[in-house]
Amino acid sequence: MHKLEAVGLCVTIACDEVLNAKSPYRRQDPDSWEEEIQVSKHAISLKQLDNGVRIPPSGWKCSKCELQENLWLNLTDGSVLCGKWFFDGTGGNGHALDHYRETNYPLAVRVGSITPDGADVYSFQEEEAVIDPHLAEHLAHFGIDMLQMPKTENGFTCSEFKSRTHEWEVIQESGLKLKPVYGPGFTGIKNLGNSCYLTATMQVLFHIPEFQRAYVGNLQRIFDYSPLDPTQDFNTQMAKLGHGLLSGQYSKPPVKSELIEQVMKEEYKSFQNGISPRMFKALTSKGHPEFASSRQQDAQEFFLHLINQIERNSEGTETPSDVFRYLVEERIQCCQSRKVRYTHRVDYLMQLPVPVEAATNKEELIMYEVKRREAEVNKRMFPEVVRARIPFSACLQAWTEPENVDDFWSSALQAKSAGIKTSRFSSFPEYLVIQIKKFTFGLDWVPKKLDVSIDMPDLLDITFLRATGLQLGEEELPDIAPPIVIPDEPKASTNILVSAPEIDDSAVMQLAEMGFPLEACRKAVYYTGNMGAEVAFNWIIAHMEEPGITQGVITSRALFKWVCHASP
């Protein structure tokens, strides 16, 4: 009898362990949000050099190898250097660590991680991520004012918060009794706390026939050839998620019962919370420093990350992501020699700028700003928000506009020159994915979101964006690689004297009216090849940190005049 009791107790304990055990995907989740990060012992007594270094809000690159990713700002001397090399070939050349070994300057902050709430700080001496409680002060030493921006609860002012709350209620159709729908294609995805970006992307992808055929149509074959550990097989997890969304097995009407019918009379509830993509999220985010975290992420970045994984795990000749693939023709013209170069690159997503100056309701915006300021001075309730209405066609037109090329090396001149780049479509995709670039940075590093409304047409004609290739009368730049310059040796002068073109005085005067120094205006018009005041203005904005450019002050009246009369 005692033996039976002992066996029964062991069985009970075993059953409890099985019931309480974490599933494979739960084992990958940390028991806490993040490993606790300690305050660095160097943060309080950190000495910063008064060397006059100011970090611009964009255009960062390693000062030793000119790499433009995984960059770290040393908080002692303001040097921007690349991080260490990763096993997959990404990362950097380890110049930030080499700099520490030479100088013993202990703390560095990852440039791309700086937000009003903090940043990723690393201590080379302590060999771990740390907290710098004086980070705002240390960044301000180099002209970075992001952490000083005023914030209220949730990052919004009261009027903005109320406006967004009202908009959210409209989107959710708050107050309306909606009839629930069931069946294939109507299955929801549970929110895992920060998975909105994943949910939105996957719901869209599995409404595309090519993705349905590739994963749900080949479900049995994928499952039959799945490895021993299906939790680590990308195609298995894609097929599983697609089946969950499209089969309808997880989106069925509730069982008819008196209790449910009574509840349904009061509110429309399905008692179904959708499928949980934990395994899928754990696999697709494995090894990624951002998607593997519990922080909020961007759907556009996840979309491109997912496309990369789809292509790496593609079986056979058909890859469903090909429906987004297209070729971009980039035309670069040397402003001095007027010669051109045509190159092509593959892309999957079109990023469109927002030309605020093309707003169709400028008068309403001016009146709203006047009322808002009056309410702010008199401490009254703010008026209802008026947003700039931007035609989608204006966004497309802005994408076609020429842009300046920094550090352009002209093979015709055998020297650095001003370059202008334009982009067009060499081929069109079956499905065009578009991102509206609503986030921008001010000169003080304060991130700003453009609060605008984009008027999207029902039919979209983009044939005018088709590439044309080399045109009659155009001369190609010679196919000569730029000279290799060894950092430790002095750079030899490679400039070639060329005849200076005549400068458009009207463009110079338009820029001078905005408060820029006359010599800076002449320089901008010269280096952009007399292509107009607007292109020269963009050049000045891109070179604000250069001596002689920032001595002038842009008057608000001149800037307003420029914005209102700029061509859309």
Side-chain angles (χ1 to χ4, degrees):
M1 188 65 179
H2 293 293
K3 291 183 178 181
L4 291 176
E5 290 179 352
V7 171
L9 180 60
C10 290
V11 171
T12 301
I13 295 174
C15 290
D16 290 339
E17 290 294 328
V18 171
L19 291 173
N20 295 326
K22 290 184 177 180
S23 59
Y25 58 86
R26 286 297 295 171
R27 283 201 300 270
Q28 299 182 46
D29 290 343
D31 290 330
S32 61
W33 284 99
E34 297 281 350
E35 182 180 357
E36 186 176 356
I37 300 178
Q38 302 296 326
V39 174
S40 172
K41 62 182 181 181
H42 302 287
I44 298 178
S45 59
L46 183 69
K47 294 183 179 180
Q48 295 183 284
L49 302 183
D50 292 327
N51 52 10
V53 173
R54 290 294 181 270
I55 308 300
S58 61
W60 318 298
K61 56 186 176 182
C62 176
S63 59
K64 290 190 176 181
C65 66
E66 297 195 349
L67 197 71
Q68 298 181 3
E69 60 182 17
N70 191 24
L71 299 177
W72 293 80
L73 166 66
N74 191 287
L75 291 176
T76 298
D77 63 356
S79 57
V80 177
L81 300 160
C82 61
K84 65 180 181 179
W85 178 84
F86 297 147
F87 69 92
D88 61 353
T90 61
N93 298 314
H95 288 140
L97 180 59
D98 293 341
H99 185 67
Y100 161 71
R101 291 169 178 168
E102 296 171 1
T103 61
N104 286 326
Y105 298 155
L107 297 183
V109 57
R110 187 158 64 91
V111 175
S113 69
I114 302 174
T115 70
D117 299 316
D120 296 337
V121 181
Y122 186 82
S123 172
F124 293 106
Q125 188 179 88
E126 296 161 283
E127 296 185 346
E128 63 180 354
V130 295
I131 294 175
D132 179 3
H134 303 286
L135 182 60
E137 177 184 344
H138 292 157
L139 290 173
H141 182 79
F142 300 110
I144 304 174
D145 195 32
M146 288 184 66
L147 304 183
Q148 300 293 339
M149 60 183 294
K151 284 187 63 177
T152 58
E153 188 177 359
N154 297 322
F156 302 119
T157 62
C158 294
S159 60
E160 290 174 326
F161 181 77
K162 290 178 181 178
S163 174
R164 283 159 173 76
T165 302
H166 175 71
E167 291 174 353
W168 180 247
E169 290 175 350
V170 173
I171 294 172
Q172 294 292 298
E173 297 179 290
S174 178
L176 299 178
K177 291 188 175 181
L178 306 177
K179 183 178 181 180
V181 292
Y182 306 95
F186 293 116
T187 303
I189 298 179
K190 290 182 180 179
N191 190 346
L192 305 181
N194 71 323
S195 58
C196 297
Y197 65 95
L198 181 148
T199 299
T201 302
M202 301 315 299
Q203 289 281 18
V204 170
L205 291 186
F206 277 110
H207 274 77
I208 296 176
E210 286 77 6
F211 278 82
Q212 296 175 359
R213 289 197 303 268
Y215 296 106
V216 182
N218 292 326
L219 183 71
Q220 194 59 49
R221 182 183 63 82
I222 293 175
F223 283 0
D224 289 343
Y225 291 94
S226 181
L228 294 177
D229 187 2
T231 65
Q232 302 303 307
D233 183 65
F234 179 80
N235 291 327
T236 300
Q237 293 305 316
M238 282 287 287
K240 175 185 171 184
L241 180 60
H243 176 263
L245 293 175
L246 300 175
S247 65
Q249 295 184 13
Y250 306 95
S251 180
K252 298 178 179 179
V255 179
K256 294 291 183 179
S257 66
E258 292 183 1
L259 176 61
I260 293 182
E261 286 180 357
Q262 289 178 1
V263 175
M264 291 285 288
K265 288 179 181 178
E266 299 175 1
E267 289 187 58
Y268 288 108
K269 292 184 179 180
S270 61
F271 297 97
Q272 295 185 20
N273 295 323
I275 60 176
S276 178
R278 290 187 179 274
M279 283 188 188
F280 177 79
K281 182 179 184 298
L283 179 61
T284 55
S285 62
K286 185 177 181 181
H288 194 285
E290 288 299 324
F291 298 131
S293 71
S294 299
R295 296 184 289 270
Q296 298 296 326
Q297 304 299 332
D298 185 76
Q300 173 256 344
E301 293 179 1
F302 179 74
F303 171 77
L304 295 178
H305 172 70
L306 189 68
I307 292 296
N308 186 36
Q309 291 199 334
I310 290 172
E311 296 196 340
R312 282 191 299 174
N313 293 276
S314 177
E315 297 178 353
T317 57
E318 183 181 2
T319 303
S321 59
D322 286 344
V323 299
F324 305 121
R325 182 187 178 101
Y326 62 93
L327 283 177
V328 177
E329 176 193 87
E330 290 187 343
R331 175 187 181 273
I332 298 181
Q333 182 178 34
C334 172
C335 293
Q336 295 190 44
S337 68
R338 298 291 181 174
K339 295 182 180 181
V340 298
R341 175 182 295 123
Y342 286 87
T343 58
H344 296 82
R345 62 176 173 84
V346 175
D347 212 335
Y348 294 87
L349 180 141
M350 185 182 192
Q351 294 182 306
L352 290 183
V354 179
V356 181
E357 68 275 7
T360 58
N361 58 338
K362 293 179 182 177
E363 293 183 1
E364 294 180 42
L365 292 172
I366 295 173
M367 292 299 298
Y368 164 73
E369 185 63 21
V370 171
K371 292 179 180 179
R372 189 192 67 80
R373 290 182 179 180
E374 290 178 353
E376 186 176 5
V377 171
N378 300 322
K379 296 182 179 181
R380 296 198 303 262
M381 183 179 296
F382 280 16
E384 187 175 351
V385 176
V386 176
R387 291 181 175 81
R389 300 185 64 88
I390 313 296
F392 186 76
S393 58
C395 298
L396 288 177
Q397 185 63 38
W399 184 81
T400 66
E401 294 298 321
E403 60 178 295
N404 298 310
V405 180
D406 294 330
D407 297 328
F408 173 67
W409 190 85
S410 172
S411 58
L413 305 175
Q414 293 289 294
K416 285 189 176 182
S417 173
I420 299 295
K421 182 178 71 174
T422 55
S423 301
R424 296 292 187 273
F425 282 82
S426 290
S427 64
F428 293 109
E430 294 184 50
Y431 299 91
L432 179 60
V433 181
I434 295 174
Q435 178 202 18
I436 303 295
K437 298 168 66 175
K438 286 189 174 183
F439 284 93
T440 184
F441 283 95
L443 295 177
D444 57 355
W445 275 63
V446 176
K448 299 177 181 178
K449 183 176 181 180
L450 300 176
D451 196 6
V452 298
S453 176
I454 306 296
D455 292 337
M456 189 70 185
D458 295 329
L459 297 176
L460 183 62
D461 183 4
I462 58 174
T463 54
F464 73 99
L465 299 178
R466 186 182 298 276
T468 57
L470 188 68
Q471 296 295 292
L472 185 65
E474 290 184 333
E475 185 178 354
E476 288 189 277
L477 285 163
D479 190 12
I480 303 174
I484 299 176
V485 179
I486 300 175
D488 296 334
E489 296 183 359
K491 297 182 180 179
S493 176
T494 57
N495 291 327
I496 294 180
L497 293 176
V498 294
S499 58
E502 294 184 4
I503 296 179
D504 184 359
D505 291 333
S506 63
V508 173
M509 294 310 298
Q510 287 186 59
L511 295 174
E513 288 179 358
M514 299 182 65
F516 292 113
L518 185 61
E519 284 304 314
C521 301
R522 293 177 61 84
K523 184 177 180 181
V525 174
Y526 170 79
Y527 278 111
T528 53
N530 289 323
M531 297 188 71
E534 187 170 355
V535 176
F537 173 79
N538 293 333
W539 186 92
I540 289 180
I541 296 301
H543 296 78
M544 288 293 290
E545 297 299 319
E546 293 186 7
I549 300 297
T550 57
Q551 293 175 4
V553 179
I554 307 177
T555 63
S556 59
R557 178 174 298 179
L559 182 57
F560 179 76
K561 179 180 178 181
W562 175 272
V563 170
C564 289
H565 293 281
S567 57

